[in-house]
Amino acid sequence: MSEDFGTVDRRPLAMVLAANLVSIAGNCLTYMGVPWFVLQSTGSAAKAGIVAFCTLLPAVLAALVTGPVIDRMGRRRVSVASDLSCGVAVAAIPLLQFAGILQFWMLCVLMALTGLFRAPGETARGVLLPRLAERAGMPLTRAAGLYDGAARCAALTASALGGVLIAVLEAENVLLVDAATFALAAPLFAFGMRGLPEAQAQRRAEPMSLRAYRRELAEGYRFVAATPLLLGLCLMTLVTRGLDQGWSAVLLPVHARAELDGAVGLGLLNAAFGICALTGALVYGAVGSRFRRWPVFTIAFLIGGLPRFVVAAFTDTFTPLAVIMAVEGLAFGVLNPIMATVTYETVPEELRNRVLSATTASVQLVTPLGGLAAGFLVDSVGLSLTLLAVGGVYLLATLCPMIFPAWRQMDSTGSPQDRPEGSLPQRSRSKRV
């Protein structure tokens, strides 16, 4: 039974959306500024891939083990500490560069620190969404659409401004702007979540110990392994996140630098994708509950996968790639709200910190290798062949929802009023031949 919050209170949800928008804008500036900084200073796609690897591997390791930590420390403290730590690490990069002492290994270490602290903060904010939607008197599908829309809006803003800022201010100065976004996000979240029980540490009858920690950590992974739909989502997203990382960290920046209008072209392409992804997320949040999730998810993933790689491999002009990235943005805009809604409806409240940490870690296991592999492939076989190879693997991954029956359970999670008309409860559907 859900908790009765009494009067509708939209302020906490609005504050989480605002804090997440600012924090993700900072992350996007980092992901644009750092690869460009590496390419400018070294000219090596392989080194850009190494930096991406150093950023994402600690994020995976943090997600693997921090679920019980979020339970014990509280979502508010973890999110605030995450943003402040990321801000300090990012600010250190240009400051060391200005002092003339920044070396490549230092850059790798600092980016590793941003990855280490980023993942727990994102998890801590995300798991609050169902309770805050309930406080706001809002359907979970709409809240998930708004949450993803805020993230997309942040990516759009950072992408639109990032390319121009890099061209005007240079990449190292853009990283100072990035650090400021984290310094703003931390107090926004701290103020917005003040006094909310769901943002505080969970009380445990058992005191914290290594044995209790291992048991709580294992509960999250056991839940994922025992739930075919969640396991399928994790495995498919594991592959596609790695390929997307290779695209965003190496393949698209190298293509933009070699064939398009440099950093400005890169920023405009990301902006086109971001505008349409934001539109897709908001539209799905408004009307998505009227449609079955499985076919929408399947079609959107097929549209959003292979085409951009093929277009980038066979054209050296801006417009075709911008058009296809805009179309893919619309498709990708519906994916995160669907996955978030299905996950929140499937996972009990008391397990959400641990399960979402487990799913975050699971889908990111291959992500650090995406940029690393893409960088070395570009240096070895060239950009065009790498684009086609990565796109082919992406196509195979996006066919999974059409092949495996567990994916059709997307339409049978949640309460009856949340399901599209004509869908069946999970128990009833499991009895069908």
Side-chain angles (χ1 to χ4, degrees):
M1 181 179 297
S2 63
E3 181 179 346
D4 183 9
F5 292 114
T7 59
V8 170
D9 183 6
R10 294 188 174 88
R11 182 187 59 85
L13 178 60
M15 295 300 288
V16 166
L17 294 177
N20 205 45
L21 188 151
V22 175
S23 181
I24 290 179
N27 286 329
C28 292
L29 286 175
T30 301
Y31 294 149
M32 287 189 68
V34 171
W36 204 262
F37 175 74
V38 175
L39 289 172
Q40 277 186 332
S41 58
T42 70
S44 171
K47 285 190 173 181
I50 291 171
V51 172
F53 176 82
C54 291
T55 304
L56 291 168
L57 180 61
V60 174
L61 297 177
L64 281 169
V65 300
T66 52
V69 175
I70 297 172
D71 283 341
R72 302 279 180 165
M73 289 185 60
R75 296 157 181 174
R76 180 172 179 262
R77 290 178 183 174
V78 169
S79 179
V80 171
S82 169
D83 282 330
L84 291 177
S85 300
C86 288
V88 170
V90 169
I93 297 172
L95 294 178
L96 291 172
Q97 174 73 0
F98 296 150
I101 58 176
L102 181 67
Q103 298 182 35
F104 183 70
W105 69 266
M106 296 178 183
L107 176 63
C108 291
V109 169
L110 290 170
M111 291 306 298
L113 290 175
T114 65
L116 182 68
F117 290 109
R118 175 179 56 83
E122 290 183 353
T123 300
R125 289 189 293 272
V127 293
L128 282 167
L129 188 60
R131 302 299 295 275
L132 298 183
E134 190 175 358
R135 281 184 176 274
M138 182 180 297
L140 181 55
T141 299
R142 182 171 300 172
L146 288 174
Y147 189 81
D148 190 61
R152 301 289 186 182
C153 184
L156 167 62
T157 304
S159 298
L161 295 177
V164 176
L165 289 175
I166 290 172
V168 174
L169 301 179
E170 300 294 338
E172 57 266 33
N173 293 315
V174 171
L175 294 179
L176 290 176
V177 178
D178 181 9
T181 64
F182 290 112
L184 176 60
L188 270 176
F189 190 84
F191 175 76
M193 296 301 102
R194 185 177 53 185
L196 267 64
E198 55 265 38
Q200 308 307 315
Q202 295 186 13
R203 296 186 179 274
R204 301 287 190 196
E206 183 179 1
M208 187 60 176
S209 66
L210 183 59
R211 180 179 179 181
Y213 171 81
R214 287 200 304 261
R215 178 180 56 77
E216 293 174 6
L217 186 65
E219 285 177 350
Y221 289 95
R222 280 199 300 268
F223 188 93
V224 174
T227 310
L229 178 56
L230 284 184
L231 184 60
L233 281 169
C234 288
L235 293 176
M236 179 180 173
T237 312
L238 179 150
V239 175
T240 56
R241 284 279 179 90
L243 301 175
D244 284 331
Q245 175 62 19
W247 168 262
S248 61
V250 177
L251 298 180
L252 184 58
V254 170
H255 180 69
R257 188 167 183 260
E259 307 289 352
L260 307 179
D261 191 18
V264 174
L266 176 64
L268 291 174
L269 286 171
N270 285 327
F273 180 89
I275 289 172
C276 293
L278 171 61
T279 302
L282 294 178
V283 169
Y284 183 80
V287 303
S289 59
R290 303 176 187 176
F291 301 96
R292 293 180 58 206
R293 296 168 185 166
W294 172 76
V296 173
F297 181 89
T298 302
I299 294 170
F301 235 137
L302 287 170
I303 293 172
L306 175 65
R308 63 192 139 130
F309 296 96
V310 174
V311 171
F314 288 108
T315 183
D316 58 359
T317 56
F318 176 83
T319 302
L321 187 56
V323 171
I324 199 64
M325 287 187 66
V327 173
E328 291 192 346
L330 288 170
F332 271 148
V334 310
L335 297 179
N336 285 345
I338 291 176
M339 290 190 289
T341 303
V342 168
T343 301
Y344 293 138
E345 290 176 351
T346 304
V347 182
E349 162 69 19
E350 64 273 13
L351 289 178
R352 281 181 186 150
N353 288 338
R354 282 164 274 171
V355 172
L356 264 71
S357 289
T359 56
T360 299
S362 300
V363 303
Q364 290 184 351
L365 281 175
V366 177
T367 305
L369 300 176
L372 189 65
F376 281 103
L377 278 174
V378 169
D379 284 350
S380 301
V381 303
L383 179 61
S384 295
L385 285 178
T386 301
L387 285 165
L388 293 175
V390 173
V393 176
Y394 212 117
L395 175 62
L396 294 177
T398 52
L399 293 174
C400 289
M402 300 178 64
I403 299 172
F404 299 104
W407 291 87
R408 297 176 184 267
Q409 295 174 10
M410 281 185 162
D411 294 321
S412 59
T413 61
S415 59
Q417 62 267 29
D418 292 331
R419 289 191 295 268
E421 184 178 353
S423 64
L424 295 173
Q426 191 166 2
R427 181 177 300 176
S428 297
R429 179 161 293 194
S430 65
K431 295 180 180 179
R432 294 181 65 186
V433 178

